[in-house]
């Protein structure tokens, strides 16, 4: 009799724990803590005092809850980068797009709904440049009872690439805004928060990865740097890329690779060399013509176990020249999704919405040429020549509660002007963008092809474009101008990679396809925060579909609202917005 009571108790307890496991719950306390790097100490914003922030461990298909308490001195929002959040744009995070920031002292319970994502993603602050120190990894394991599409690695290690400013990051942004110029560059790159041996006062804390000969390690690599694409390599070892942006790839073996801000790579490292100390290293990849950028190199050490005399210093890997576009494009162009029975692809074949977006660097005049951009002008950036301006009420609320005058609905499908986008000498008048807060409305389930075209204004630049709410198939990429007759014939519709962030090559184009099956308000932007701040942003509103599952969820009760003037009751009365308001909300 006793035994069966214990059995029942055990069963109840296991249900309880199973439940806990199925719906993990985290507490994020935003707070300022002093950290010392490069011989000087400053207060930085952290989550729970940690830099980099805590790693979230979840399984495919989980829904998790994170309670964010803002005990810092700045407004902040948190974004779950690469999580599609079906029907739930409410807790996606970008400030003034889906919410107002969480004010100091306030709290926001964020729900994170995972579906098909499996591999590595991350989370980061999505207000100003606070993500410089507020970021962390999200590890998404296969569902219990299933496994990786490769032999189970012996160990898994998050490798977060980042950058560090000696100056306070809020000051960096303030100066940039005030001067109209590019602002200060970072002083160091970091691996798991540490600059490494090549920087002053850093050697004692260099990140060390202890390995054992014969074992295989899964490195979950995230580029969380604010501004820089990075070349990465490990001395003496090739690595094998098996996944990116929480989607598997056909294995790709390389001695080095390039990773853009926002991208995540799952990489296998076989410890198959003679026991020694080997550097892993990362440095900027940039086409910056003047060579003005952070040209330092961060390192960590791969340290074999056993008895041997290590080379001193450790062996250093080959990294390409900082502006080796060929090396970078060749790598990114080689991604292929698994596209097998267990990992089928569903790239849209019939397209009903064609979009063509030019990505440009721009300038606007300043009074008495007083800005520190080119010729005393102020830098901006644009998509289809519109430099995005943040609204005062977030777009999601304005849409949901039918608040007119917040955004316009005429984001154009094409640029206002077709010219030779990648020509050497573009006339100056092309540098002038229009300022605007415009969205593109997509019908539920529309099938979208979007071609990004980089322009050569200010010599152009690569742009790591990121879309919230979706993963997209990268069906084509090339240098020069997109040719809408020839280039589509070369699309990869068989095994294109599925991504959420992708490098549009400098003076080149890139084509993606996705199905707009996620109702809500979704941000799209360059993942260089400088370009994002300058306006290289766009917003999609995907309308509700017919069935209940095809509609946006209700807003959470503790939503940090921008819509304070209106009492909550009338908000509720209006809350059928997306279904009853026509999309009339034209900005005056
Ligand atoms: Cu990684 Cu809009 O963000
Ligand atoms: Cu950019």
């Amino acid at each position: 009799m006793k035994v069966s009571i214990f059995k029942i108790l055990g069963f109840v307890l296991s249900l309880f724990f199973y439940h806990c496991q199925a719906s993990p719950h985290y507490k994020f306390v935003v707070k300022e803590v002093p950290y010392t790097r490069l011989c000087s100490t400053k207060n930085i914003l952290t989550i729970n005092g940690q830099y980099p922030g805590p790693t979230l461990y979840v399984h495919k298909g989980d829904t998790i809850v994170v309670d964010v308490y803002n005990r810092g001195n700045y407004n902040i929002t948190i974004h779950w980068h690469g999580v599609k959040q079906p029907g739930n744009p409410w807790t996606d995070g970008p400030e003034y797009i889906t919410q107002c920031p969480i004010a100091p002292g306030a709290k926001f319970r964020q729900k994170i709904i995972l579906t098909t994502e499996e591999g590595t993603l991350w989370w980061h602050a999505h207000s100003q440049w606070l993500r410089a120190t507020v970021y962390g990894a999200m590890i998404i394991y296969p569902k219990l009872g299933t496994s990786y599409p490769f032999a189970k690695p012996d160990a898994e290690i998050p490798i977060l690439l980042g950058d560090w400013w000696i100056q306070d990051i809020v000051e960096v942004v303030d100066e940039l805004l005030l001067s109209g110029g590019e602002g200060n560059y970072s002083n160091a790159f970091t691996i798991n928060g540490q600059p490494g041996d090549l920087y002053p006062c850093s050697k004692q804390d260099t990140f060390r990865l202890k390995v054992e000969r014969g074992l295989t390690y899964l490195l979950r690599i995230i580029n969380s740097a604010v501004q820089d694409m990075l070349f990465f390599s490990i001395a003496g070892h090739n690595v094998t890329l098996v996944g990116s942006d929480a989607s598997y790839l056909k294995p790709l073996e390389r001695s080095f690779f390039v990773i853009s801000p926002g991208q995540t790579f799952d990489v296998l490292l076989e410890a198959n060399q003679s026991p020694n100390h080997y550097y892993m290293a990362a440095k900027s990849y940039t086409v910056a013509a003047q060579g003005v950028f952070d040209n330092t190199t961060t390192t960590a050490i791969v340290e074999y176990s056993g008895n041997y005399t290590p080379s001193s210093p450790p062996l250093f890997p080959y990294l390409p020249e900082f502006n080796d576009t060929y090396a970078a494009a060749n790598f990114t162009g080689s991604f292929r999704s698994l596209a097998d029975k267990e990992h089928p692809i569903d790239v849209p074949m019939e397209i009903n919405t064609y979009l063509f977006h030019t990505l440009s660097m721009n300038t606007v005049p300043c009074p008495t040429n007083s800005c520190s951009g080119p010729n005393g002008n102020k830098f901006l950036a644009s998509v289809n020549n519109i430099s995005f301006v943040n609204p005062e009420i977030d777009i999601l609320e304005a849409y949901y509660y039918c608040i007119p005058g917040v955004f316009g609905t005429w984001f154009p499908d094409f640029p206002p002007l077709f010219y030779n986008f990648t020509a050497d000498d573009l006339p100056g008048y092309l540098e002038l963008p229009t300022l605007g807060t415009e969205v593109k409305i997509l019908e539920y389930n529309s099938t979208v092809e979007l071609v990004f075209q980089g322009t050569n204004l200010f010599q152009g630049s690569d742009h790591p474009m990121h879309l919230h709410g979706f993963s997209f198939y990268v069906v084509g990429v090339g240098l020069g101008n997109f040719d809408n007759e020839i280039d589509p014939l070369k699309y990869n519709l068989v095994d294109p990679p599925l991504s959420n962030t992708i490098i549009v090559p400098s003076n080149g184009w890139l084509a993606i396809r996705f199905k707009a099956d996620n109702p809500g308000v979704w941000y799209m932007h360059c993942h260089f925060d400088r370009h994002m701040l300058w306006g290289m942003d766009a917003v999609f509103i995907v309308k509700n579909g017919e069935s209940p599952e095809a509609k946006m969820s209700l807003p959470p009760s503790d939503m940090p609202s921008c819509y304070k003037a209106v009492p909550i009751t009338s908000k509720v009365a209006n809350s059928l917005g997306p279904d009853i308001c026509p999309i009339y909300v034209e900005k005056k």
Side-chain angles (χ1 to χ4, degrees):
M1 209 41 196
K2 258 182 192 169
V3 173
S4 67
I5 283 172
F6 279 123
K7 264 192 179 162
I8 291 167
L9 239 176
F11 178 68
V12 170
L13 274 177
S14 73
L15 267 184
F16 175 75
F17 283 115
Y18 174 76
H19 188 75
C20 285
Q21 197 179 28
S23 189
H25 198 127
Y26 289 87
K27 183 173 174 184
F28 273 24
V29 179
V30 180
K31 60 176 172 188
E32 262 188 31
V33 177
Y35 268 78
T36 305
R37 293 289 184 275
L38 310 179
C39 323
S40 72
T41 303
K42 66 170 184 174
N43 276 342
I44 62 169
L45 275 185
T46 66
I47 298 296
N48 305 343
Q50 288 170 247
Y51 165 77
T55 301
L56 304 181
Y57 296 95
V58 298
H59 286 91
K60 180 179 180 176
D62 280 355
T63 290
I64 66 174
V65 170
V66 181
D67 282 316
V68 181
Y69 296 83
N70 187 359
R71 307 241 167 89
N73 300 321
Y74 297 103
N75 285 338
I76 200 166
T77 68
I78 308 287
H79 167 56
W80 322 95
H81 178 115
V83 180
K84 294 191 274 288
Q85 299 272 34
N88 179 38
W90 299 105
T91 60
D92 187 45
E95 67 172 349
Y96 301 110
I97 309 299
T98 62
Q99 69 173 90
C100 252
I102 310 168
K107 181 215 157 193
F108 184 28
R109 169 167 287 193
Q110 297 190 242
K111 199 158 120 182
I112 301 140
I113 306 170
L114 291 150
T115 48
T116 57
E117 304 88 349
E118 179 174 320
T120 308
L121 291 175
W122 61 303
W123 55 267
H124 61 80
H126 212 305
S127 40
Q128 292 291 343
W129 292 10
L130 297 182
R131 74 176 182 85
T133 57
V134 180
Y135 65 87
M138 186 188 302
I139 311 285
I140 310 163
Y141 296 115
K143 277 200 168 133
L144 293 174
T146 67
S147 58
Y148 302 115
F150 42 85
K152 193 174 181 334
D154 298 292
E156 305 192 3
I157 303 98
I159 301 282
L160 292 111
L161 308 174
D163 40 18
W164 181 267
W165 274 258
I166 292 172
Q167 202 184 2
D168 185 282
I169 198 69
V170 175
E171 270 174 35
V172 173
V173 176
D174 286 351
E175 269 180 29
L176 177 146
L177 287 172
L178 206 68
S179 73
E182 290 185 276
N184 282 339
Y185 289 84
S186 53
N187 303 98
F189 296 111
T190 55
I191 296 177
N192 291 341
Q194 296 297 342
D197 289 6
L198 306 186
Y199 297 90
C201 312
S202 303
K203 205 163 177 174
Q204 68 286 355
D205 296 315
T206 297
F207 176 73
R208 285 162 186 271
L209 170 58
K210 301 226 158 74
V211 301
E212 206 174 306
R213 194 167 180 196
L215 300 190
T216 300
Y217 298 83
L218 173 58
L219 308 183
R220 296 174 175 276
I221 303 177
I222 298 161
N223 185 348
S224 26
V226 176
Q227 300 300 346
D228 290 81
M229 297 174 286
L230 295 165
F231 280 122
F232 176 96
S233 178
I234 301 176
H237 295 75
N238 280 354
V239 292
T240 307
L241 182 73
V242 291
S244 174
D245 290 3
S247 179
Y248 292 115
L249 295 173
K250 294 199 171 83
L252 195 62
E253 191 183 325
R254 284 291 190 272
S255 63
F256 67 85
F257 57 72
V258 66
I259 183 167
S260 81
Q263 284 186 310
T264 61
F265 289 169
D266 288 345
V267 153
L268 295 175
L269 167 68
E270 274 181 66
N272 55 9
Q273 297 300 304
S274 46
N276 206 335
H277 286 186
Y278 299 87
Y279 273 131
M280 63 168 83
K283 71 168 192 188
S284 185
Y285 158 58
T286 175
V287 296
Q290 280 77 33
V292 190
F293 61 98
D294 180 347
N295 64 357
T296 63
T297 303
T298 179
T299 55
I301 299 172
V302 177
E303 203 178 284
Y304 279 71
S305 63
N307 280 329
Y308 59 92
T309 316
S311 21
S312 175
L315 302 173
F316 201 85
Y318 165 79
L319 287 168
E321 281 300 302
F322 72 87
N323 61 355
D324 193 340
T325 311
Y326 176 78
N330 178 278
F331 172 69
T332 316
S334 308
F335 291 20
R336 300 284 176 269
S337 67
L338 268 187
D340 59 16
K341 256 223 193 84
E342 288 88 65
H343 309 87
I345 61 158
D346 57 349
V347 56
M349 297 304 249
E350 309 264 306
I351 300 297
N352 57 28
T353 308
Y354 286 94
L355 307 174
F356 186 83
H357 286 182
T358 52
L359 307 174
S360 300
M361 310 304 294
N362 306 96
T363 58
V364 288
C366 287
T368 67
N369 293 345
S370 57
C371 285
S372 36
N375 306 321
N377 291 340
K378 175 182 149 78
F379 268 120
L380 286 178
S382 64
V383 180
N384 278 352
N385 215 43
I386 298 183
S387 181
F388 186 84
V389 179
N390 274 348
E392 273 162 30
I393 295 176
D394 63 273
I395 291 178
L396 176 57
E397 275 190 295
Y399 167 56
Y400 194 75
Y401 299 116
C402 308
I403 307 166
V406 176
F407 62 87
T409 57
W410 59 270
F411 190 89
D413 294 355
F414 299 96
L417 208 62
F418 276 80
Y419 53 95
N420 180 358
F421 300 113
T422 56
D424 274 343
D425 287 303
L426 291 171
Y429 68 89
L430 291 172
E431 291 166 10
L432 263 190
T434 311
L435 301 181
T437 308
E438 297 299 326
V439 309
K440 169 67 188 171
I441 308 281
L442 293 172
E443 294 299 326
Y444 181 76
N445 261 349
S446 50
T447 46
V448 182
E449 177 177 306
L450 166 52
V451 176
F452 296 106
Q453 173 71 59
T455 76
N456 195 31
L457 294 168
F458 299 101
Q459 286 102 31
S461 162
D462 296 67
H463 299 291
M465 296 303 293
H466 171 50
L467 175 60
H468 290 220
F470 298 91
S471 290
F472 48 75
Y473 287 101
V474 182
V475 295
V477 57
L479 295 177
N481 295 330
F482 177 71
D483 181 326
N484 68 350
E485 297 200 336
I486 298 183
D487 288 324
L489 302 176
K490 293 180 284 191
Y491 280 172
N492 175 7
L493 301 173
V494 177
D495 57 359
L498 190 58
S499 303
N500 64 57
T501 309
I502 191 75
I503 302 175
V504 179
S506 177
N507 285 312
W509 59 271
L510 185 136
I512 65 171
R513 287 187 175 186
F514 64 95
K515 188 173 186 190
D517 54 4
N518 189 6
V521 172
W522 305 110
Y523 200 22
M524 186 181 79
H525 59 91
C526 179
H527 218 289
F528 291 149
D529 278 19
R530 195 176 274 124
H531 295 181
M532 179 171 84
L533 190 79
W534 285 341
M536 192 173 284
D537 321 315
V539 174
F540 291 105
I541 290 183
V542 178
K543 285 161 78 175
N544 277 346
E546 290 298 320
S547 65
E549 314 82 62
K551 294 187 196 303
M552 267 167 49
S553 58
L554 298 175
S557 56
D558 59 348
M559 192 71 205
S561 172
C562 309
Y563 183 30
K564 301 211 171 66
V566 184
I568 190 87
T569 46
S570 74
K571 279 195 191 181
V572 174
N574 274 331
S575 67
L576 285 172
D579 290 327
I580 59 169
C581 304
I583 304 284
Y584 65 89
V585 256
E586 287 295 338
K587 196 177 167 154
K588 288 164 278 182

